Amino acid sequence: MEQYNFKKIEKKRQRYWEKNKFFLAKDFSKKPKYYCLVEFPYPSAEGLHIGHTRSYTAMDIISRKRRMEGYNVLFPMGWDAFGLPTENYALKTGIHPKVATKKNTDNFRRQLKSLGFSFDWNKEINTTDPNYYKWTQWIFLQFFKKGLAYKKKMPINWCLSCKIGLANEEVVDGRCERCGGPTEKREKEQWMLAITKYADRLLKDLDKVDYLEKIKIQQQNWIGKSEGVLIKFQISNSKFQVEVFTTRPDTIFGATYMVLASEHTLIENLKLKIKNYEEVEKYIKQAKKKSELHRTDLAKEKTGVELKGIKAINPATKKEIPIFVADYVLSSYGTGAIMAVPAHDERDFEFAKKYNLPIKRVIESCFMTTVGPDAVRKNLPFVEREAIMAIVKHWSEDKYIGLKWKKVDWQTFITGGPENNQTQEEAAIAEIIEETGYLHPKLVKRLEKVHSKFFHVPKNINRFAHFSIFYFELQDDEQKEIFQDDQDIHEVVWLSPEKMEKFLTPESHLFIWKEFYKGFQIYTGEGIMVNSGKFDGMDSEKAKWEITKFVGGKKQVQYHLRDWIFSRQHYWGEPIPMIHCEKHGWQPVPEKDLPIKLPEVKKYQPTDTGESPLANIKNWVNIKCPKCRGSAKRETDTMPNWAGSSWYFLRYADSKNKKILADKKKLNYWMPVDWYNGGMEHTTLHLLYSRFWNKFLYDIGISPVTEPYKKRTSQGMILGEDGEKMSKSRGNVVNPDEVVRNFGADAYRLYQMFIGPFDQAIPWDSRGIEGAKRFLNKVWKLRSKISLSSITDTKGNDFRKQNLASLETLLHQTIKKVSDDIEEMKFNTAISQLMILVNAMEKEKQLRVTDYSLLINLLSPFAPHISSELAEKFKFKIDKWPKYDSQKIKEKIFELVVQINGKVRDRFEVPMGISQKEAEELTLKRENVKKYLGNKKVKKVIFVPNRLINYVCS
Ligand code: ANZ
């Protein structure tokens, strides 16, 4: 039989779609609008990557489904075409980036079309087109006018081989992300965009959008809102003060030293007083070479140098403390200086251990149980109590007593509470004797107090216990008998230190054990104040603000997000439309002069001073000041890669407009984007930058919405067959063109969606694509079974009654599953369900054309070419998404209850409507029924159709 000829058919269908303008998004329509967006690609010379097409196929499926559901869909495509590889290519070959870009975009467009994506090509945009970047420049001018674009000297990462400034995220392990060459820090005047002014709104408005939870969390972390306080520390015998930013003012009594970032001005200011300045200077030079990520990495060994000759005064204890310079403190965060509290901060702890600095506990730990039988009950108040805990050692071995509770899943030390006039020590001894019978414990040591909040199961209360902790050694093995009551509650076990660590269930007991056996344990949580003067005994959360007042600190909200360095010393980027006049400083290019086009250059090499190659074109650079007409110079820096993609979703609404960024009415109609899918690697930068630009454009009345994307999802990566990231150097890249040539676009699309869960990284498997092709051939072959007219076979029987599990149920189940799965991006399970349906259809002798058309409609978003061809052949349409009938979904089976003398002995599923005879036949084969009937004589059988069967026996 004829095989599905994808080569012929796919081309034919693509021509048909194009001719009939099927994917045109109409501005304004009676239909509801739906805006589907995928990240537009950087048109590299290598052509389309398989990673691109995973996202595009997914959103093409959504777009096609939405059209069938009656939406007016906008699904656009364009080119994010500024970027370093094209510039590097120009450097090597002398070919103008414009020429290379044209060639690459033509290739990308051809590839995308060959895959049958339903993009509306009328909306195509290109960020390197002056008609487009005119508006990128215009937006920059608006930022400048509102004071949100400013110039600042910044330490930037400098790539020694590309000779260009890099953003932090473009430096990986101290090397340039693009060329892999070494980088160093340099100070340079840069244009900055004040994204931090929008930090709070960017954070808060995450509540308004439907993003995958992991995406929201990444955005929150990147913004990194931190509420703390600023506190000033006086430098002894000097007029200088150093201000620190801390989120834990409650720990200030434990601040035993202070650390400055290498760039801190105090070092320069007190140069003459610092006795070991040379050593300090050497250290600072080294630190500059390290990236921020490297410097703040918890696992990296801490280094630093003390500033000998100067001291700071802790404003709480009034004591002098040493000052260090260390690279784990960053100049770009907070104030670039910290008070170090080694007892309660991990990095400070590491540092203090290494340099032998005092570690002073000022917060007693407090543990709250949140899971398990002793989890604190939310609605109950706490009953506070002084309590004791005892660690008891064996009289001759290195073993310790643990209590294994019998009624609850608890494994603890000996605990209890002082009664009447008992001292804590007496109480501890009494508990030991009571609970273990051992008569001669000797107190060896008292440990630090620990507090614990838990639900006391036996007493049925929320307990807030303040444990005094004692360490005893048994003098001998003399033991009295333990009361039965105590024996019923718990069992006494002897444990080696290793076993003890695994044995203890409450976190607080484990903490105590580690502190006892391994030494000082750092504690970073909230707790009860200690060693803090008048604040002792206070809850640390409350003490935060009391202490802030006490030391004259002030509240401060800090963000990890930094302002965006917006200058690059490239050629192939949008020129920044600014003019510098000696008299009038930075002046914006008049809007009527936009776009400032990229001039032709002879050499794409950056200048030796690190300026962009534009700096060499004197007749372009030299210009009149727009204010005084005096001589002035153009800015020669260009914008970063991220500029054009920060607002492209708006331009799609009106991509050809020459007068304004986009027509207001069209923006009102299309915005916001209803569903945006893209890579997780763009979650923190592109997503945040574009949300920021949109908010700004909203503020100045351009964008109609405060949030550009209603919904954001993300795909996993497709790896090479070897399970590694696809890369040219590994030789594991799958070329989409080749796959389309050998298997067809439909098989490619189908396989890509079937390969595994959409959000997970999955290796490509060339056998898998064969399977996809076979499946499509099966669908194609089903044609021979189609009966166009009747549902009866030649003998006049309704052939659909031939199978009990009727196709109808499966069809409706499939409609439901495929519909739901597409919405949840579970494309792989949707396809599995289609496969089940096709297998069932293969077993039928004949198929109704209406049933076949349902299958093809459901398949059409995944494999649109074959579906469209079959629809034409059998004269049905692909224009309505199938609906299921919830009645028909229900399996036509029920659970038959089997009773013997009125007692339920079995239940199992049988087809609806079976007769008593059929039910008896089936039940008598069942093991349970056989067992309970045994040799009994059945006197009577009661059968309730579609419910139960009861054997009445003698
Ligand atoms: C004392 C302290 C005690 C701190 C303690 C923490 C725990 P987030 O939450 O990220 O804002 N810090 C402040 N500025 C810093 C800088 N420039 N470089 C490195 N570390 C810096 O973190 C705030 C905490 O990070 C601050 O609170 C400070 O250490 C440290 F038990 O102050 B903390």
Side-chain angles (χ1 to χ4, degrees):
M1 192 188 195
E2 181 207 349
Q3 290 260 328
Y4 164 53
N5 182 345
F6 62 83
K7 280 204 172 121
K8 203 171 99 203
I9 291 170
E10 289 184 350
K11 281 267 149 9
K12 181 176 151 202
R13 296 332 294 175
Q14 285 163 15
R15 275 196 301 271
Y16 170 72
W17 292 330
E18 202 157 329
K19 198 169 129 226
N20 290 288
K21 302 194 164 65
F22 273 145
F23 309 129
L24 212 71
K26 294 193 193 71
D27 292 322
F28 319 114
S29 152
K30 282 207 188 79
K31 292 179 179 178
K33 70 97 187 178
Y34 202 89
Y35 186 173
C36 282
L37 187 64
V38 286
E39 285 161 353
F40 60 161
Y42 171 69
S44 66
E46 283 86 45
L48 200 59
H49 187 274
I50 247 169
H52 293 128
T53 61
R54 196 179 194 190
S55 169
Y56 301 165
T57 308
M59 287 316 286
D60 191 50
I61 290 169
I62 309 277
S63 298
R64 285 174 181 271
K65 178 169 182 263
R66 287 289 180 276
R67 287 191 198 98
M68 290 168 81
E69 286 167 337
Y71 287 91
N72 175 29
V73 171
L74 170 58
F75 186 38
M77 182 38 73
W79 319 111
D80 189 13
F82 278 126
L84 263 189
T86 314
E87 180 157 333
N88 289 341
Y89 181 71
L91 269 170
K92 248 199 273 165
T93 61
I95 294 175
H96 195 288
K98 223 168 23 189
V99 178
T101 298
K102 164 89 174 61
K103 193 168 144 228
N104 295 346
T105 51
D106 285 348
N107 187 39
F108 264 68
R109 194 181 306 102
R110 174 194 63 75
Q111 290 186 297
L112 291 172
K113 286 190 174 176
S114 81
L115 282 161
F117 294 131
S118 63
F119 294 125
D120 176 357
W121 286 103
N122 280 332
K123 298 277 196 283
E124 182 178 336
I125 56 174
N126 184 333
T127 54
T128 64
D129 175 353
N131 283 327
Y132 181 91
Y133 71 65
K134 170 178 178 176
W135 300 106
T136 314
Q137 292 174 331
W138 182 84
I139 297 168
F140 181 88
L141 290 181
Q142 311 314 308
F143 273 122
F144 179 77
K145 286 175 187 164
K146 297 279 175 201
L148 295 169
Y150 62 97
K151 260 222 156 164
K152 190 179 172 195
K153 206 166 204 167
M154 286 294 293
I156 59 158
N157 305 293
W158 184 259
C159 172
L160 295 164
S161 60
C162 298
K163 292 189 181 164
I164 159 176
L166 303 170
N168 282 338
E169 53 277 9
E170 290 170 314
V171 181
V172 179
D173 288 336
R175 296 191 160 260
C176 170
E177 189 204 17
R178 307 272 176 158
C179 77
T183 63
E184 66 173 30
K185 292 257 178 219
R186 273 201 192 171
E187 293 251 314
K188 211 167 171 353
E189 283 262 317
Q190 305 280 341
W191 283 104
M192 307 287 294
L193 286 190
I195 187 171
T196 50
K197 292 238 162 69
Y198 279 73
D200 228 15
R201 283 166 67 190
L202 288 167
L203 196 63
K204 269 203 206 109
D205 286 356
L206 285 174
D207 290 343
K208 290 190 191 162
V209 289
D210 173 20
Y211 291 2
L212 287 185
E213 200 49 32
K214 62 178 176 184
I215 297 179
K216 275 194 187 177
I217 291 171
Q218 279 204 15
Q219 291 242 322
Q220 281 157 356
N221 290 347
W222 195 262
I223 297 167
K225 183 174 180 172
S226 174
E227 290 175 71
V229 300
L230 295 173
I231 299 174
K232 289 192 176 118
F233 281 57
Q234 185 67 44
I235 304 300
S236 295
N237 309 319
S238 110
K239 61 176 195 251
F240 289 104
Q241 288 183 324
V242 175
E243 195 164 41
V244 302
F245 171 71
T246 175
T247 47
R248 296 297 302 269
D250 50 321
T251 64
I252 195 165
F253 283 85
T256 52
Y257 65 102
M258 172 173 239
V259 186
L260 308 179
S262 336
E263 297 85 354
H264 200 282
T265 49
L266 188 82
I267 304 175
E268 188 61 32
N269 289 339
L270 290 182
K271 196 170 169 177
L272 298 176
K273 283 197 176 171
I274 299 171
K275 289 189 182 136
N276 56 340
Y277 190 74
E278 236 171 72
E279 189 191 358
V280 171
E281 213 179 9
K282 200 169 136 215
Y283 179 79
I284 291 173
K285 261 202 188 134
Q286 286 293 323
K288 275 198 180 156
K289 292 206 181 122
K290 299 187 197 166
S291 75
E292 266 188 22
L293 215 62
H294 183 87
R295 288 167 57 165
T296 46
D297 189 346
L298 262 179
K300 291 277 171 330
E301 197 184 331
K302 304 279 160 297
T303 60
V305 176
E306 187 180 345
L307 307 181
K308 298 223 168 95
I310 60 171
K311 297 262 185 217
I313 298 167
N314 180 325
T317 61
K318 307 277 188 281
K319 288 210 177 98
E320 281 194 335
I321 55 174
I323 308 173
F324 285 76
V325 52
D327 65 8
Y328 76 93
V329 171
L330 304 174
S331 61
S332 51
Y333 188 62
T335 61
I338 65 156
M339 62 178 208
V341 185
H344 303 287
D345 180 279
E346 306 229 8
R347 281 178 285 178
D348 298 343
F349 181 66
E350 290 294 314
F351 192 85
K353 265 197 312 193
K354 181 164 171 189
Y355 293 99
N356 249 329
L357 294 157
I359 298 172
K360 178 178 165 196
R361 173 168 286 152
V362 288
I363 311 276
E364 284 171 345
S365 49
C366 179
F367 296 91
M368 179 149 99
T369 314
T370 52
V371 287
D374 50 341
V376 164
R377 305 295 193 259
K378 283 218 172 81
N379 305 323
L380 290 181
F382 282 99
V383 181
E384 285 199 48
R385 173 167 206 200
E386 285 301 321
I388 62 94
M389 194 181 295
I391 302 177
V392 180
K393 191 177 177 214
H394 196 270
W395 55 93
S396 64
E397 293 174 45
D398 190 23
K399 281 194 175 161
Y400 302 83
I401 290 180
L403 294 183
K404 194 171 165 55
W405 293 63
K406 291 188 173 161
K407 290 193 189 113
V408 281
D409 191 13
W410 256 359
Q411 301 187 146
T412 66
F413 286 123
I414 296 162
T415 60
E419 319 262 337
N420 307 326
N421 295 327
Q422 266 178 335
T423 64
Q424 305 231 344
E425 187 184 330
E426 283 163 358
I429 293 171
E431 291 290 352
I432 296 171
I433 297 174
E434 219 171 87
E435 292 178 9
T436 72
Y438 290 109
L439 291 169
H440 301 129
K442 183 177 141 216
L443 179 64
V444 179
K445 199 160 101 183
R446 245 189 122 126
L447 307 175
E448 296 278 349
K449 253 182 139 170
V450 168
H451 310 261
S452 182
K453 291 179 175 175
F454 57 95
F455 181 70
H456 198 298
V457 181
K459 296 207 169 132
N460 206 20
I461 51 166
N462 266 344
R463 169 70 82 215
F464 185 4
H466 308 289
F467 286 106
S468 295
I469 300 149
F470 300 92
Y471 168 56
F472 291 93
E473 286 174 2
L474 289 180
Q475 297 299 94
D476 51 44
D477 61 352
E478 202 179 329
Q479 190 182 19
K480 75 168 179 113
E481 200 177 328
I482 314 171
F483 285 125
Q484 191 59 41
D485 276 6
D486 283 308
Q487 280 191 40
D488 288 346
I489 297 176
H490 33 54
E491 177 191 340
V492 175
V493 281
W494 283 107
L495 299 155
S496 66
E498 297 75 45
K499 290 216 172 114
M500 185 60 90
E501 199 164 327
K502 294 199 187 89
F503 172 82
L504 296 166
T505 48
E507 209 189 342
S508 52
H509 291 231
L510 196 61
F511 180 86
I512 290 158
W513 172 256
K514 284 192 188 155
E515 174 131 322
F516 165 73
Y517 200 75
K518 296 187 167 162
F520 186 90
Q521 292 295 301
I522 171 171
Y523 176 73
T524 55
E526 312 288 344
I528 305 293
M529 304 293 296
V530 63
N531 299 324
S532 298
K534 63 177 178 176
F535 301 97
D536 282 1
M538 197 183 269
D539 189 274
S540 65
E541 188 60 33
K542 188 171 166 221
K544 271 186 183 171
W545 310 120
E546 300 278 327
I547 289 190
T548 302
K549 269 189 266 163
F550 174 67
V551 297
K554 63 171 196 265
K555 283 195 186 183
Q556 163 95 352
V557 176
Q558 193 70 46
Y559 295 92
H560 282 272
L561 185 71
R562 318 281 164 75
D563 276 350
W564 175 8
I565 303 177
F566 203 67
S567 288
R568 296 292 185 276
Q569 292 70 43
H570 284 293
Y571 170 72
W572 194 227
E574 301 88 344
I576 293 178
M578 297 296 295
I579 295 169
H580 191 259
C581 165
E582 286 297 330
K583 260 200 234 141
H584 295 104
W586 284 106
Q587 291 296 320
V589 165
E591 284 179 18
K592 66 172 177 38
D593 294 343
L594 295 182
I596 302 301
K597 288 194 189 165
L598 266 173
E600 300 286 326
V601 290
K602 290 205 187 70
K603 267 175 46 195
Y604 302 95
Q605 199 80 40
T607 64
D608 291 339
T609 57
E611 282 173 304
S612 119
L614 297 178
N616 282 334
I617 313 173
K618 296 285 172 274
N619 62 358
W620 183 78
V621 172
N622 294 323
I623 185 152
K624 299 247 167 343
C625 166
K627 205 160 186 178
C628 67
R629 311 303 302 160
S631 57
K633 281 191 179 349
R634 281 190 195 281
E635 173 59 85
T636 59
D637 282 358
T638 54
M639 298 187 195
N641 281 349
W642 311 100
S645 59
S646 291
W647 69 280
Y648 77 119
F649 46 90
L650 295 170
R651 185 67 177 174
Y652 278 139
D654 193 13
S655 60
K656 304 281 180 302
N657 200 322
K658 290 211 166 125
K659 294 205 185 85
I660 44 175
L661 185 152
D663 178 74
K664 188 94 197 158
K665 278 205 203 102
K666 291 184 188 171
L667 284 174
N668 274 337
Y669 178 69
W670 287 113
M671 287 300 288
V673 172
D674 293 280
W675 193 334
Y676 189 16
N677 186 74
M680 274 314 277
E681 71 278 16
H682 290 139
T683 298
T684 42
L685 303 177
H686 161 63
L687 208 59
L688 209 58
Y689 291 160
S690 57
R691 289 182 59 223
F692 160 49
W693 278 43
N694 179 76
K695 280 195 186 307
F696 171 69
L697 291 171
Y698 172 82
D699 290 349
I700 62 168
I702 303 290
S703 172
V705 290
T706 53
E707 278 296 325
Y709 321 119
K710 236 186 187 165
K711 177 176 175 128
R712 167 80 181 191
T713 50
S714 206
Q715 76 278 1
M717 236 192 281
I718 294 192
L719 308 169
E721 288 216 71
D722 54 1
E724 300 288 338
K725 197 172 162 178
M726 281 191 198
S727 78
K728 254 205 302 198
S729 57
R730 282 184 182 279
N732 62 354
V733 176
V734 176
N735 179 348
D737 280 345
E738 223 169 88
V739 183
V740 172
R741 207 176 311 122
N742 296 331
F743 300 93
D746 280 344
Y748 178 94
R749 296 168 56 115
L750 197 71
Y751 173 58
Q752 234 187 1
M753 293 296 103
F754 188 58
I755 193 168
F758 183 66
D759 59 346
Q760 285 172 29
I762 309 273
W764 182 266
D765 176 1
S766 38
R767 278 164 313 176
I769 183 122
E770 299 265 5
K773 195 175 147 201
R774 270 199 305 277
F775 170 71
L776 291 175
N777 258 320
K778 268 194 198 177
V779 173
W780 186 252
K781 280 190 197 153
L782 282 177
R783 290 172 313 148
S784 61
K785 295 179 189 280
I786 290 175
S787 140
L788 282 172
S789 51
S790 73
I791 53 162
T792 51
D793 64 16
T794 43
K795 287 185 190 140
N797 300 317
D798 181 343
F799 61 78
R800 299 189 51 248
K801 283 200 177 144
Q802 289 159 353
N803 277 336
L804 240 173
S806 98
L807 200 59
E808 193 175 50
T809 306
L810 183 60
L811 251 172
H812 284 267
Q813 282 171 338
T814 305
I815 298 173
K816 177 164 175 21
K817 179 131 183 76
V818 174
S819 308
D820 294 351
D821 283 359
I822 290 180
E823 293 309 313
E824 288 172 41
M825 300 194 119
K826 292 182 183 160
F827 303 108
N828 55 333
T829 51
I831 295 170
S832 301
Q833 182 69 26
L834 287 170
M835 289 175 169
I836 292 170
L837 179 63
V838 168
N839 286 343
M841 284 183 160
E842 271 189 322
K843 289 195 190 112
E844 300 282 325
K845 287 209 180 87
Q846 273 187 295
L847 288 173
R848 287 197 304 184
V849 71
T850 46
D851 292 350
Y852 189 58
S853 90
L854 280 176
L855 163 72
I856 299 306
N857 268 275
L858 293 174
L859 179 68
S860 68
F862 299 89
H865 305 87
I866 192 175
S867 306
S868 169
E869 179 76 8
L870 286 166
E872 189 177 271
K873 267 202 164 58
F874 290 98
K875 301 195 174 45
F876 58 80
K877 286 203 162 141
I878 297 185
D879 62 353
K880 269 202 192 69
W881 187 252
K883 286 208 167 67
Y884 61 89
D885 179 339
S886 51
Q887 283 309 310
K888 288 184 179 152
I889 276 186
K890 288 196 190 117
E891 288 278 3
K892 299 203 165 146
I893 50 175
F894 74 101
E895 200 178 53
L896 178 69
V897 175
V898 189
Q899 297 180 337
I900 294 170
N901 284 339
K903 281 214 173 95
V904 179
R905 295 301 187 189
D906 201 358
R907 42 176 84 221
F908 62 101
E909 288 182 346
V910 296
M912 290 279 249
I914 55 166
S915 65
Q916 176 169 347
K917 193 164 159 263
E918 286 167 323
E920 281 182 34
E921 273 172 23
L922 289 170
T923 44
L924 291 173
K925 283 187 201 146
R926 308 274 301 175
E927 282 308 312
N928 252 10
V929 178
K930 280 194 223 161
K931 183 173 130 198
Y932 285 101
L933 272 182
N935 295 326
K936 288 191 193 104
K937 224 176 143 209
V938 178
K939 287 208 298 203
K940 199 165 126 193
V941 180
I942 302 165
F943 178 68
V944 185
N946 296 337
R947 281 216 21 225
L948 67 78
I949 185 161
N950 183 10
Y951 294 89
V952 184
C953 315
S954 54

PDB file of all heavy atoms in Angstrom, residues 9 108 267 328 378 386 394 459 579 751 817:
ATOM      1  N   ILE A   9       4.022  15.899   0.023  1.00  0.00           N
ATOM      2  CA  ILE A   9       2.861  16.453   0.722  1.00  0.00           C
ATOM      3  C   ILE A   9       3.220  17.677   1.577  1.00  0.00           C
ATOM      4  O   ILE A   9       2.487  18.657   1.601  1.00  0.00           O
ATOM      5  CB  ILE A   9       2.195  15.343   1.568  1.00  0.00           C
ATOM      6  CG1 ILE A   9       1.558  14.337   0.617  1.00  0.00           C
ATOM      7  CG2 ILE A   9       1.144  15.910   2.493  1.00  0.00           C
ATOM      8  CD1 ILE A   9       1.085  13.087   1.294  1.00  0.00           C
ATOM      9  N   PHE A 108      17.494  30.931   8.177  1.00  0.00           N
ATOM     10  CA  PHE A 108      16.610  30.606   9.306  1.00  0.00           C
ATOM     11  C   PHE A 108      15.142  30.573   8.864  1.00  0.00           C
ATOM     12  O   PHE A 108      14.386  29.686   9.234  1.00  0.00           O
ATOM     13  CB  PHE A 108      16.768  31.655  10.424  1.00  0.00           C
ATOM     14  CG  PHE A 108      17.710  31.247  11.503  1.00  0.00           C
ATOM     15  CD1 PHE A 108      19.063  31.133  11.256  1.00  0.00           C
ATOM     16  CD2 PHE A 108      17.259  30.975  12.797  1.00  0.00           C
ATOM     17  CE1 PHE A 108      19.950  30.753  12.265  1.00  0.00           C
ATOM     18  CE2 PHE A 108      18.130  30.594  13.800  1.00  0.00           C
ATOM     19  CZ  PHE A 108      19.479  30.494  13.536  1.00  0.00           C
ATOM     20  N   ILE A 267      40.370  52.310  53.331  1.00  0.00           N
ATOM     21  CA  ILE A 267      41.733  51.783  53.193  1.00  0.00           C
ATOM     22  C   ILE A 267      42.637  52.878  52.648  1.00  0.00           C
ATOM     23  O   ILE A 267      43.744  53.110  53.162  1.00  0.00           O
ATOM     24  CB  ILE A 267      41.751  50.533  52.278  1.00  0.00           C
ATOM     25  CG1 ILE A 267      40.780  49.487  52.847  1.00  0.00           C
ATOM     26  CG2 ILE A 267      43.162  49.976  52.134  1.00  0.00           C
ATOM     27  CD1 ILE A 267      40.598  48.267  51.988  1.00  0.00           C
ATOM     28  N   TYR A 328      35.765  38.175  50.393  1.00  0.00           N
ATOM     29  CA  TYR A 328      34.396  37.645  50.448  1.00  0.00           C
ATOM     30  C   TYR A 328      33.376  38.748  50.706  1.00  0.00           C
ATOM     31  O   TYR A 328      32.176  38.524  50.611  1.00  0.00           O
ATOM     32  CB  TYR A 328      34.262  36.476  51.428  1.00  0.00           C
ATOM     33  CG  TYR A 328      34.220  36.769  52.918  1.00  0.00           C
ATOM     34  CD1 TYR A 328      33.004  36.931  53.583  1.00  0.00           C
ATOM     35  CD2 TYR A 328      35.383  36.836  53.675  1.00  0.00           C
ATOM     36  CE1 TYR A 328      32.954  37.149  54.963  1.00  0.00           C
ATOM     37  CE2 TYR A 328      35.337  37.054  55.050  1.00  0.00           C
ATOM     38  CZ  TYR A 328      34.122  37.215  55.684  1.00  0.00           C
ATOM     39  OH  TYR A 328      34.072  37.426  57.038  1.00  0.00           O
ATOM     40  N   LYS A 378      -0.675  24.576  64.568  1.00  0.00           N
ATOM     41  CA  LYS A 378      -0.786  26.008  64.267  1.00  0.00           C
ATOM     42  C   LYS A 378      -1.711  26.777  65.211  1.00  0.00           C
ATOM     43  O   LYS A 378      -1.443  27.911  65.566  1.00  0.00           O
ATOM     44  CB  LYS A 378      -1.278  26.194  62.835  1.00  0.00           C
ATOM     45  CG  LYS A 378      -0.171  25.951  61.822  1.00  0.00           C
ATOM     46  CD  LYS A 378      -0.265  26.912  60.655  1.00  0.00           C
ATOM     47  CE  LYS A 378       0.943  26.794  59.767  1.00  0.00           C
ATOM     48  NZ  LYS A 378       0.862  25.667  58.831  1.00  0.00           N
ATOM     49  N   GLU A 386      10.607  25.639  81.744  1.00  0.00           N
ATOM     50  CA  GLU A 386      12.033  25.359  81.931  1.00  0.00           C
ATOM     51  C   GLU A 386      12.177  23.848  81.872  1.00  0.00           C
ATOM     52  O   GLU A 386      11.323  23.116  82.384  1.00  0.00           O
ATOM     53  CB  GLU A 386      12.511  25.861  83.299  1.00  0.00           C
ATOM     54  CG  GLU A 386      12.678  27.368  83.391  1.00  0.00           C
ATOM     55  CD  GLU A 386      13.679  27.926  82.393  1.00  0.00           C
ATOM     56  OE1 GLU A 386      14.720  27.277  82.171  1.00  0.00           O
ATOM     57  OE2 GLU A 386      13.407  28.995  81.807  1.00  0.00           O
ATOM     58  N   HIS A 394      28.170   5.973  79.495  1.00  0.00           N
ATOM     59  CA  HIS A 394      28.356   4.642  80.082  1.00  0.00           C
ATOM     60  C   HIS A 394      29.512   4.673  81.100  1.00  0.00           C
ATOM     61  O   HIS A 394      30.423   5.489  80.964  1.00  0.00           O
ATOM     62  CB  HIS A 394      28.696   3.685  78.923  1.00  0.00           C
ATOM     63  CG  HIS A 394      28.560   2.243  79.259  1.00  0.00           C
ATOM     64  ND1 HIS A 394      29.598   1.512  79.762  1.00  0.00           N
ATOM     65  CD2 HIS A 394      27.516   1.404  79.141  1.00  0.00           C
ATOM     66  CE1 HIS A 394      29.212   0.267  79.940  1.00  0.00           C
ATOM     67  NE2 HIS A 394      27.927   0.177  79.575  1.00  0.00           N
ATOM     68  N   LYS A 459       1.261  14.913  76.144  1.00  0.00           N
ATOM     69  CA  LYS A 459       0.513  15.917  76.910  1.00  0.00           C
ATOM     70  C   LYS A 459      -0.482  16.698  76.059  1.00  0.00           C
ATOM     71  O   LYS A 459      -1.267  17.485  76.593  1.00  0.00           O
ATOM     72  CB  LYS A 459       1.489  16.891  77.576  1.00  0.00           C
ATOM     73  CG  LYS A 459       2.371  16.202  78.586  1.00  0.00           C
ATOM     74  CD  LYS A 459       2.831  17.136  79.672  1.00  0.00           C
ATOM     75  CE  LYS A 459       3.462  16.316  80.777  1.00  0.00           C
ATOM     76  NZ  LYS A 459       4.750  16.833  81.200  1.00  0.00           N
ATOM     77  N   ILE A 579      25.146  62.724  22.660  1.00  0.00           N
ATOM     78  CA  ILE A 579      26.213  63.599  22.167  1.00  0.00           C
ATOM     79  C   ILE A 579      26.869  64.269  23.363  1.00  0.00           C
ATOM     80  O   ILE A 579      26.158  64.722  24.282  1.00  0.00           O
ATOM     81  CB  ILE A 579      25.614  64.672  21.223  1.00  0.00           C
ATOM     82  CG1 ILE A 579      25.055  63.971  19.969  1.00  0.00           C
ATOM     83  CG2 ILE A 579      26.639  65.738  20.856  1.00  0.00           C
ATOM     84  CD1 ILE A 579      24.218  64.854  19.089  1.00  0.00           C
ATOM     85  N   TYR A 751       8.239  13.715  17.008  1.00  0.00           N
ATOM     86  CA  TYR A 751       9.260  13.095  17.839  1.00  0.00           C
ATOM     87  C   TYR A 751       9.755  14.067  18.908  1.00  0.00           C
ATOM     88  O   TYR A 751       9.934  13.704  20.073  1.00  0.00           O
ATOM     89  CB  TYR A 751      10.438  12.590  16.998  1.00  0.00           C
ATOM     90  CG  TYR A 751      11.551  12.106  17.900  1.00  0.00           C
ATOM     91  CD1 TYR A 751      11.299  11.087  18.821  1.00  0.00           C
ATOM     92  CD2 TYR A 751      12.806  12.705  17.898  1.00  0.00           C
ATOM     93  CE1 TYR A 751      12.281  10.677  19.709  1.00  0.00           C
ATOM     94  CE2 TYR A 751      13.781  12.299  18.784  1.00  0.00           C
ATOM     95  CZ  TYR A 751      13.515  11.283  19.684  1.00  0.00           C
ATOM     96  OH  TYR A 751      14.470  10.885  20.575  1.00  0.00           O
ATOM     97  N   LYS A 817      -7.974  13.839  27.071  1.00  0.00           N
ATOM     98  CA  LYS A 817      -6.570  13.759  27.487  1.00  0.00           C
ATOM     99  C   LYS A 817      -5.681  14.673  26.631  1.00  0.00           C
ATOM    100  O   LYS A 817      -4.840  15.402  27.163  1.00  0.00           O
ATOM    101  CB  LYS A 817      -6.079  12.309  27.413  1.00  0.00           C
ATOM    102  CG  LYS A 817      -4.633  12.137  27.814  1.00  0.00           C
ATOM    103  CD  LYS A 817      -4.441  11.027  28.810  1.00  0.00           C
ATOM    104  CE  LYS A 817      -3.006  10.913  29.266  1.00  0.00           C
ATOM    105  NZ  LYS A 817      -2.586  11.926  30.222  1.00  0.00           N
TER     106      LYS A 817
END
